[in-house]
Amino acid sequence: MKDFDTSNSLFILTEQQLEQFKQLEHFEYFYHLIRHDFTHLSFAKDSVSDVWIYFYFEEEPVINSEYALIFLLRNFMLNEILVSSKLKRLKKTTVGSYTNALMASVMTVNLFLDLLRDVLESLSKEQYDLYMKFENSSKQLFNDRFYEYEHYPKKLVQIETIIIKNLRQYLEENAAIYNDFKQKVIRFMDQFSIIKRELYEPLSLEK
């Protein structure tokens, strides 16, 4: 995948985990299931990879605290997933399965993108345009040599803080809808696992 970068992970991965992570390149087609109005945004693609790690590994690795401060929105979404007892039950069918973990990741990220859409529309045009330009909080923006001359990191952090504050409020005010969305993801994954098993398990022929 064009934007695939293992160094962008919000988790601190071991060498073995990194090798498993790199295999996601062979499952690029799952990333085309991201909501179409967000597919051009790097943070949406990277979020799917972040969440895949949670669903794929039985015990999730430690979060990189430095990257958590750089990729604020991705970190917020990831933490919402980590604390969700509803979404944790998906791990029964996703641990060790690239495809199940990826499908669960895309569905879960899409859940947040659907809620995030309204929040982004509440930004001013100037804030929205700046965020879209630097939406993935590139690590280069936080390089000392860069922000000696530019104020983008500070402005970007301020905008992301506003987005997260509004998104948190949105989730609290629409808790019933939020829980219903999570339940839909769970129901979908139950059906996905059943259909996948029926399609790929060897057929038993009656004698």
Side-chain angles (χ1 to χ4, degrees):
M1 188 163 64
K2 181 181 177 183
D3 300 318
F4 201 91
D5 185 358
T6 56
S7 69
N8 267 347
S9 173
L10 277 179
F11 290 103
I12 298 174
L13 302 175
T14 64
E15 286 298 321
Q16 182 180 3
Q17 289 168 333
L18 275 173
E19 287 304 311
Q20 291 170 292
F21 186 79
K22 290 176 183 176
Q23 297 304 310
L24 291 183
E25 293 178 342
H26 301 299
F27 299 91
E28 180 184 350
Y29 48 88
F30 277 92
Y31 290 80
H32 295 287
L33 299 176
I34 296 172
R35 291 287 185 257
H36 290 173
D37 50 333
F38 285 94
T39 51
H40 65 291
L41 301 180
S42 297
F43 96 84
K45 298 173 184 176
D46 286 335
S47 290
V48 170
S49 299
D50 293 334
V51 181
W52 175 84
I53 291 171
Y54 169 66
F55 283 128
Y56 183 79
F57 295 106
E58 189 165 1
E59 293 186 13
E60 64 270 14
V62 177
I63 291 179
N64 185 322
S65 57
E66 180 184 355
Y67 284 9
L69 294 174
I70 294 177
F71 303 113
L72 291 178
L73 184 54
R74 283 170 55 195
N75 185 57
F76 174 79
M77 291 168 56
L78 178 62
N79 275 288
E80 279 290 313
I81 293 165
L82 294 179
V83 301
S84 173
S85 57
K86 285 182 178 291
L87 294 176
K88 187 173 183 179
R89 61 173 279 195
L90 292 178
K91 291 182 66 115
K92 293 179 181 178
T93 60
T94 61
V95 171
S97 170
Y98 277 93
T99 54
N100 283 20
L102 268 169
M103 183 59 80
S105 301
V106 172
M107 292 296 295
T108 306
V109 170
N110 279 345
L111 178 163
F112 283 97
L113 295 180
D114 288 339
L115 299 170
L116 180 63
R117 189 179 289 107
D118 291 337
V119 173
L120 290 177
E121 289 177 357
S122 68
L123 297 176
S124 69
K125 186 179 186 307
E126 181 185 3
Q127 290 173 326
Y128 183 85
D129 290 345
L130 183 64
Y131 181 72
M132 287 301 161
K133 186 175 182 180
F134 297 107
E135 46 85 19
N136 200 39
S137 307
S138 169
K139 294 188 289 291
Q140 292 182 348
L141 296 181
F142 290 80
N143 185 289
D144 289 342
R145 290 176 297 177
F146 186 93
Y147 62 72
E148 283 178 5
Y149 305 101
E150 300 288 354
H151 301 291
Y152 291 130
K154 183 178 179 180
K155 288 181 180 179
L156 190 60
V157 169
Q158 289 173 340
I159 294 171
E160 284 195 309
T161 302
I162 292 172
I163 293 172
I164 291 170
K165 178 183 175 182
N166 292 347
L167 182 56
R168 182 180 287 113
Q169 182 178 345
Y170 190 95
L171 295 179
E172 291 173 357
E173 292 176 353
N174 297 276
I177 295 174
Y178 183 31
N179 286 327
D180 184 54
F181 277 17
K182 286 190 280 190
Q183 200 60 45
K184 286 180 179 178
V185 171
I186 293 168
R187 288 198 299 268
F188 176 87
M189 285 306 302
D190 287 342
Q191 290 299 312
F192 178 78
S193 300
I194 292 170
I195 293 171
K196 179 185 170 187
R197 186 166 59 248
E198 290 177 347
L199 283 174
Y200 291 101
E201 280 190 353
L203 297 175
S204 56
L205 300 177
E206 292 183 3
K207 293 184 179 180

